[in-house]
Amino acid sequence: MGNDEVEVAVVGGGHNGLIAAAYLARDGHEVAVFERDSVPGGAVSTVERFPGYRVDRGSSAHLMIRHTPIIDELELGRFGLRYLDCDPWAFAPATEDSPAIVFSVDLDATCAHIAAACGDADAHAYRRFVGVWAPRAQAMMRALTHPPTPPSLARAFWGLPDRRGRSGRTAAGTVSQEFLQSGDALLDSWFDDERLKAALAWFGAQSGPPMDQPGTAPMVGFAALMHRRPPGRAIGGSGALTSALISAITHHGGAVHTARAITGLTPTGDSGRATHRWVLTDSTGTTTRARTVIAACHVLTTFDLLEAGGLPASATKRWRREISVGNGIGMAVRIGARALPDYPGLPTDLPPHGVHSGLGLLVSERGHLAAAHGDALAGQLPRRPAVLSMGFSAIDPTLAPEGRHLLTLWSQWQPYRLSGGRSWHDLGSRAADDIISEFDRHAPGFADQIEHVHVQTPDDLHTELGLLGGNVMHVEMSLDQMFAWRPHPDLAGGHIPSLRGLTLAGASMHPGGGVNGASGRLAAAAAAHELCARRWMPRWSR
């Protein structure tokens, strides 16, 4: 037991909390990160699940952070972070009468594969689609890395042309309509072949919502940006990003404490600029006083800590009721195998690693996705799981022992709360078997190569990683909980009314889930403003 003092305390050692800490430590602030788990990084971490295997606990492909300035600004390459391009970046399975669709960074190669599988008309349409949506996706990334204020959103999106090449006021109505429509409607307006539409819908659905919901079109459109910079695979596992961030923090004098859960957050009532406004208690019996706090854990967990510190439950009751966490998104099956899967119907012009660098979008029609989502809404295991595969040991041999391979199967949708009083303790193995059986449809015989299996049900994601309700995005990524509405209009500015010196961060906040890091960067700017530190303040934070 003891008492400590620190300038900035960061609660939660996920990648957003670590990014916030890295910026502030780099800028000369005294920073300490407190993580409840013995493994830092939250869902951006890698452990040895099987002997000799480096297995991710959460994310595997980093789609967004390489489209932000974070890696360069924090000089994470200097601290050991290395990425491999995932190229090809995705593929859709072959059918009995049509070859697989392979998405490469090379747009010409991608269009050739689409032409072979879907016809020339859709190949030509896809080329036009990328031309229209790549600038829009870049604008979207600009919006996601800035505060969600009307001026910043207007600056990000103003002037984008519509698909006919018109811009300015003439195009505003058409462009805004396409951003607000559903992903399915967008796909129907561009393409004819259902397999191509299903693949792109499944890519877009990795953000969480099904593609029949309004406002999901940009999630499909983000695929166009993969032809400029594809998803990245951190060498050594997803946790390599976390390791680099920790190295940066400690290099600049900060500290990262693991297995040290914060159990209460109490404001001191002292608003002076030079005083410590917050008292943090933790699981080791230590009390820490901090000038400012960045809460980078789940927003509902932050409420719990504030209530443990004396905030009346009535203060957060309305927000708890109005923030939608949802009923889980999916589950993962991590596999150690003697060989990589053999997908039939692949083109012959692939690199030596084949399609294993990419996301296996293992659906052929959107009805498959709709049925799985419908089952999940009813609290049922999907009668036919929708599966996404990742076999990154093909490009990074450090992930598995020599002669062995690591495969991740991600399945949406899988409900956190099961109907009929059933539990994931009883159904987890059955669900994993269903996922492996579905995968074996697309890679016949792979099940015979399996040596190790680790299952992460929605309940496991909830308990192990603090992803409440099994939602890997913290709260729903629906249109009504994005931008200035995330996670609630009262909280979207990153602060809780009447509580000075506390900044909210993490996937609960703008811009949401995924390996993005922008929330941590925004929180660092807000905390710097709170501390009156002018040495690093982006223009948009002033």
Side-chain angles (χ1 to χ4, degrees):
M1 299 180 66
N3 296 281
D4 294 331
E5 291 188 355
V6 69
E7 188 178 14
V8 183
V10 179
V11 182
H15 78 289
N16 278 297
L18 295 173
I19 284 169
Y23 274 109
L24 291 167
R26 186 203 66 176
D27 209 40
H29 296 287
E30 182 190 16
V31 181
V33 180
F34 298 89
E35 168 55 44
R36 70 179 183 111
D37 201 341
S38 60
V39 178
V44 184
S45 56
T46 304
V47 297
E48 188 179 55
R49 296 287 194 197
F50 325 123
Y53 287 84
R54 295 180 178 180
V55 183
D56 295 330
R57 296 203 301 169
S59 66
S60 290
H62 295 180
L63 275 72
M64 292 186 291
I65 192 168
R66 298 206 304 165
H67 293 273
T68 75
I70 292 170
I71 294 171
D72 290 337
E73 288 178 348
L74 294 178
E75 300 181 285
L76 295 183
R78 174 185 171 195
F79 298 103
L81 181 62
R82 299 288 184 274
Y83 276 106
L84 298 168
D85 283 349
C86 295
D87 189 17
W89 55 267
F91 72 98
T95 62
E96 291 183 358
D97 55 0
S98 182
I101 306 171
V102 178
F103 298 88
S104 301
V105 176
D106 185 331
L107 182 58
D108 290 338
T110 301
C111 290
H113 293 150
I114 293 173
C118 311
D120 290 337
D122 271 345
H124 178 67
Y126 185 81
R127 188 182 296 277
R128 290 180 52 239
F129 173 80
V130 170
V132 169
W133 272 95
R136 294 180 180 183
Q138 284 188 313
M140 184 165 55
M141 284 305 305
R142 288 195 297 272
L144 296 181
T145 55
H146 288 68
T149 61
S152 69
L153 293 175
R155 285 194 297 270
F157 293 109
W158 180 253
L160 289 174
D162 64 14
R163 68 169 72 181
R164 293 168 56 187
R166 301 176 302 176
S167 59
R169 294 183 183 276
T170 305
T174 303
V175 173
S176 60
Q177 181 190 45
E178 287 200 348
F179 269 95
L180 293 173
Q181 69 183 166
S182 71
D184 282 342
L186 180 74
L187 290 165
D188 287 337
S189 73
W190 278 93
F191 308 112
D192 295 321
D193 188 88
E194 179 60 22
R195 290 178 58 228
L196 177 59
K197 290 189 279 190
L200 293 172
W202 193 210
F203 176 87
Q206 299 311 303
S207 57
M211 291 297 100
D212 62 353
Q213 289 192 6
T216 54
M219 299 169 184
V220 172
F222 190 70
L225 204 54
M226 299 300 97
H227 294 285
R228 298 192 177 183
R229 173 167 281 183
R233 174 63 191 179
I235 295 176
S238 192
L241 172 59
T242 291
S243 297
L245 287 166
I246 292 174
S247 294
I249 292 167
T250 56
H251 173 79
H252 294 297
V256 178
H257 304 291
T258 57
R260 195 166 163 183
I262 297 301
T263 56
L265 281 171
T266 306
T268 64
D270 197 339
S271 61
R273 180 175 295 176
T275 61
H276 292 82
R277 301 175 183 167
W278 287 90
V279 176
L280 298 83
T281 55
D282 67 47
S283 55
T284 69
T286 302
T287 298
T288 302
R289 295 172 64 83
R291 281 185 62 187
T292 191
V293 172
I294 295 176
C297 47
H298 197 292
V299 65
L300 299 188
T301 301
T302 301
F303 293 162
D304 292 340
L305 298 179
L306 289 168
E307 289 168 17
L311 186 72
S314 58
T316 63
K317 181 179 180 180
R318 179 172 62 88
W319 295 325
R320 287 183 184 274
R321 185 179 295 274
E322 294 176 1
I323 294 172
S324 177
V325 173
N327 190 24
I329 292 180
M331 61 179 285
V333 180
R334 315 284 184 174
I335 295 171
R338 288 185 291 270
L340 286 164
D342 184 12
Y343 302 105
L346 294 176
T348 58
D349 60 341
L350 296 175
H353 58 259
V355 295
H356 298 297
S357 58
L359 308 177
L361 305 169
L362 304 182
V363 297
S364 297
E365 57 183 11
R366 288 172 293 172
H368 181 180
L369 301 176
H373 184 250
D375 287 339
L377 287 177
Q380 303 284 342
L381 297 184
R383 285 161 287 183
R384 184 183 174 193
V387 177
L388 179 141
S389 64
M390 292 169 280
F392 295 133
S393 60
I395 57 174
D396 182 4
T398 70
L399 301 178
E402 186 175 356
R404 295 295 186 266
H405 283 281
L406 179 65
L407 187 77
T408 290
L409 303 180
W410 169 255
S411 174
Q412 290 174 225
W413 283 263
Q414 304 280 350
Y416 171 70
R417 294 180 297 277
L418 294 160
S419 62
R422 297 171 301 162
S423 75
W424 277 106
H425 176 77
D426 298 327
L427 294 182
S429 294
R430 174 187 153 188
D433 289 343
D434 290 346
I435 291 167
I436 292 171
S437 294
E438 173 63 24
F439 179 72
D440 220 43
R441 292 189 186 196
H442 305 285
F446 176 75
D448 297 333
Q449 303 295 324
I450 296 174
E451 293 183 321
H452 307 282
V453 175
H454 178 78
V455 180
Q456 292 175 288
T457 69
D459 188 57
D460 294 325
L461 298 173
H462 172 99
T463 55
E464 182 181 8
L465 299 179
L467 299 169
L468 303 187
N471 190 337
V472 298
M473 305 295 180
H474 281 203
V475 302
E476 294 285 69
M477 296 275 282
S478 52
L479 181 60
D480 61 310
Q481 290 199 145
M482 295 296 288
F483 297 104
W485 303 303
R486 187 170 188 87
H488 189 280
D490 295 346
L491 311 174
H495 300 285
I496 295 177
S498 78
L499 291 180
R500 291 192 61 190
L502 175 66
T503 301
L504 302 175
S508 301
M509 306 304 296
H510 171 78
V515 184
N516 184 311
S519 173
R521 183 172 179 263
L522 290 168
H529 183 81
E530 188 83 28
L531 294 165
C532 298
R534 298 288 177 176
R535 284 171 292 173
W536 177 75
M537 286 185 63
R539 291 179 181 177
W540 41 262
S541 72
R542 296 178 183 174

